[in-house]
Amino acid sequence: MDGNRELDGRVAVVTGAGRNIGRAIALALAAGGAAVVVNSRANLAEATAVAGEIEAAGGKALPVTADVADPAAVEKMVAAAVARFSRIDYLVNNAALRGEKRLPEMTHADWRKVLDVILDGAFHCVKACLPYLQKSGAGAIVNMGGLSSHTGSQHRAHVVAAKSGLVGLTRALAHDLAADNVTVNCVSPGLVATARAKDFVVPQHHAVHHTLSGRPGTPDDIAAVVRFLCGPGARFITGQVIQASGGAFIS
Amino acid sequence: MNTPFHLDDQVAIVTGSSRGIGRAIAETMAALGAKVVISSRKAEACEAVAREIQATGGEAAAVACNVSRKAEVEALVEATLSRFGRIDILVCNAAINPVFGPLRDLSDEAFDKVMGANVKSNLWLCNLVIPGMAARGGGSVVFVSSIAGLRGTDVIGMYGISKAADFALARNLAAEWGPHNVRVNCIAPGLIKTEFARALWENEDLLARRNAQTPLRRIGMPHEIGPVAAFLASGAASFITGQIIVADGGITAA
C-alpha cells in the first residue's frame, strides 16, 4: 500500500482477461506495477488489445490464448509467462462460462463444460503456476466467485455448483499453501455492469437481489479488491470470501 | 496519490488509536493522505501519536474521548468538525475486554459495561457522523470487531457477544445507509500481538498451540490490520458494504 506501485517487480496471470472484470483486473494489477499475463480462451485480438493498453500506460504485459479447461494449453501458457517474465507471484482465476439452462434440459455435457472451465480450469492453473507461486515469497491466488453461489439461482445448477466449488478450493488451498506464504482468497462480485452478449438473459438472482444503492458495480470496483488482496496490505488475509456486491448479499 | 487506495484529504476519526490496532490504522490512513483524529481515553497518549504522525509529514489531531460517555463522544465529533469541517471515515476501534472467565460468573454490570463500550458507543458515533456523510454524498464506516464474534470461546464470551453484535449493527446500518452511499463494514482480526490481547499470547504454551492451529502458523501484527481498514475506507472497496473481512491468518477457515 506504500506508494503507487506496490506490486512492482511482481508477475500476475489473469485468466479470462480479454474483457469485463478480467480486463479490469489485468489493468488494475498493471497499474500497481505488476507485469500481467493476459489470458483469453481464444480471442487473441482482445487479449492483445488489453496488453496494448497496459503497455501504452508504461506497463509490461503478455497476451496468451489458452483454454483453461485444457491442462496442456495451461502448461504452455505458464511456460510462456515464465520465459518472458521469469516468475509468477499472483494467479487470478477469473475465466468462466455462465450459461443458463433449465434443469430438465441440462445434459451432463452442459454440466461438464461449465465445471471444466470454472473449477477444473482453476485447478489446472494452480497446478501449473504452483512451483512459481511457492518461490514468490509473497504469492497470492484470487479465485473469482459469484453472488449466485451464495444465493442460488434458477437454471444455473452447473455455474452455482462450480462457483461454490471455487469457495471450497479457496479454503483448502489456503491450508496447503500457507507454509509457502501464498494467500488464497475468493472475491465474490455481485451485480456488475459489464458488456453482455445480445442474447443475455437476466439471471434470477440478479432480478431478486439488488444493491443497496440501486446501482450496479463497475469492473473497476471488483478489480480494486483483487489488487488489494494481491498486495502487501492483505498478507494476513487467507481462506476468505470477500463479497463485493454493493450489499446485495449480506451474510 | 494515484491509486484506488489513496485517502487524500479525507478526514478520519479512529477511536482507540493511541496504541495497537487503532494506532496502526491511523498511521496507515495518514500515510495514504488522510487527516486523522487520534482518540483514546488519555489525552497525552493521543497527542504523542498525533505528533509522531505530524513528524512524518502527516496531518493529525488529538481528541481524548471515553467512548462509554455520550457527552465525550459528542464532543469528539464536534471537535473533529470544528477542526477539519467534515468526516469522511469513521473507524470504531475502541473496545474493552475486562472479563476473562466463564459467562456464569458474569455480573449484570459487566454485561452492560461491555455492551455499552463495544456496541452502543458505535451506534452513538454512527448516528452522529453518518447523516453528515450522507449529506455530502457518501462515506465509509469500519468497525474493528473480532473473530471472537464468529465463534465461541470458553474465556472471553462477553467480548464475543459484543463483537457479534457489531456485525449485526454493521449489516443493519449498511442496509439503512446504502442508498446514500455510506458503506459500513467490519474487520474481524484474529489474535494480534497487542497489549489489549496480551492475556491470549504471552503464555508460550498457549501461543504455540494457537500458531499450530493457524494456517499461516503465526499470530498477526497491528500493521497487518491497518491496511485492511484503509482498504475498506478507500475507493478500492467502493462496492463492499455490510461485510465482515476476516484477517486472522486463516484460523477460522481451519
Side-chain angles (χ1 to χ4, degrees), chain A:
Chain A
M1 304 269 287
D2 298 330
N4 295 350
R5 296 178 60 84
E6 78 282 6
L7 311 180
D8 248 345
R10 303 287 181 179
V11 177
V13 174
V14 183
T15 68
R19 65 182 101 145
N20 290 336
I21 290 174
R23 168 179 169 270
I25 292 168
L27 296 176
L29 298 181
V36 181
V37 178
V38 180
N39 162 264
S40 166
R41 183 178 60 85
N43 196 328
L44 185 61
E46 276 188 352
T48 304
V50 174
E53 282 186 75
I54 291 170
E55 282 166 353
K60 292 181 198 159
L62 176 69
V64 183
T65 56
D67 182 349
V68 295
D70 175 359
V74 169
E75 287 285 353
K76 261 178 77 176
M77 169 174 74
V78 169
V82 173
R84 172 73 186 272
F85 297 124
S86 306
R87 58 186 295 146
I88 296 171
D89 301 280
Y90 314 126
L91 168 64
V92 182
N93 285 311
N94 172 69
L97 293 177
R98 287 184 190 80
E100 298 244 323
K101 209 149 204 184
R102 284 165 40 85
L103 190 59
E105 282 88 55
M106 187 181 289
T107 63
H108 185 233
D110 295 329
W111 167 272
R112 272 266 43 103
K113 194 174 163 193
V114 168
L115 268 90
D116 274 347
V117 171
I118 295 178
L119 192 52
D120 295 33
F123 177 79
H124 299 321
C125 290
V126 168
K127 289 286 286 182
C129 292
L130 189 57
Y132 307 101
L133 294 171
Q134 288 174 312
K135 269 183 265 175
S136 164
I141 296 172
V142 180
N143 295 317
M144 300 306 294
L147 179 62
S148 70
S149 81
H150 306 284
T151 63
S153 185
Q154 277 179 349
H155 310 152
R156 293 191 145 204
H158 45 12
V159 176
V160 173
K163 291 286 187 181
S164 300
L166 276 185
V167 173
L169 183 68
T170 299
R171 294 191 176 129
L173 295 185
H175 286 267
D176 286 336
L177 299 179
D180 297 314
N181 206 18
V182 177
T183 63
V184 188
N185 292 291
C186 177
V187 174
S188 185
L191 315 167
V192 176
T194 55
R196 305 281 193 181
K198 283 192 207 76
D199 55 354
F200 178 74
V201 181
V202 176
Q204 182 223 7
H205 68 285
H206 284 205
V208 173
H209 292 90
H210 302 284
T211 63
L212 295 171
S213 67
R215 284 180 288 103
T218 67
D220 289 343
D221 284 329
I222 307 304
V225 181
V226 176
R227 177 171 165 183
F228 168 69
L229 287 172
C230 290
R235 296 312 302 169
F236 203 51
I237 298 179
T238 194
Q240 302 303 317
V241 180
I242 310 294
Q243 307 283 345
S245 64
F249 177 76
I250 297 180
S251 62

Side-chain angles (χ1 to χ4, degrees), chain B residues 25-99:
Chain B
I25 291 171
E27 288 173 348
T28 307
M29 288 187 171
L32 288 162
K35 302 166 182 174
V36 292
V37 173
I38 307 299
S39 175
S40 75
R41 277 172 289 191
K42 295 194 182 94
E44 263 178 38
C46 298
E47 282 154 13
V49 173
R51 274 197 303 273
E52 282 196 41
I53 289 174
Q54 288 156 359
T56 61
E59 199 162 341
V63 182
C65 172
N66 179 338
V67 295
S68 293
R69 297 180 185 147
K70 197 167 195 176
E72 293 188 26
V73 169
E74 289 166 349
L76 168 63
V77 173
E78 277 166 29
T80 304
L81 290 173
S82 73
R83 170 73 185 265
F84 293 119
R86 55 173 216 276
I87 301 164
D88 305 288
I89 298 163
L90 170 63
V91 181
C92 296
N93 169 71
I96 60 171
N97 185 13
V99 186

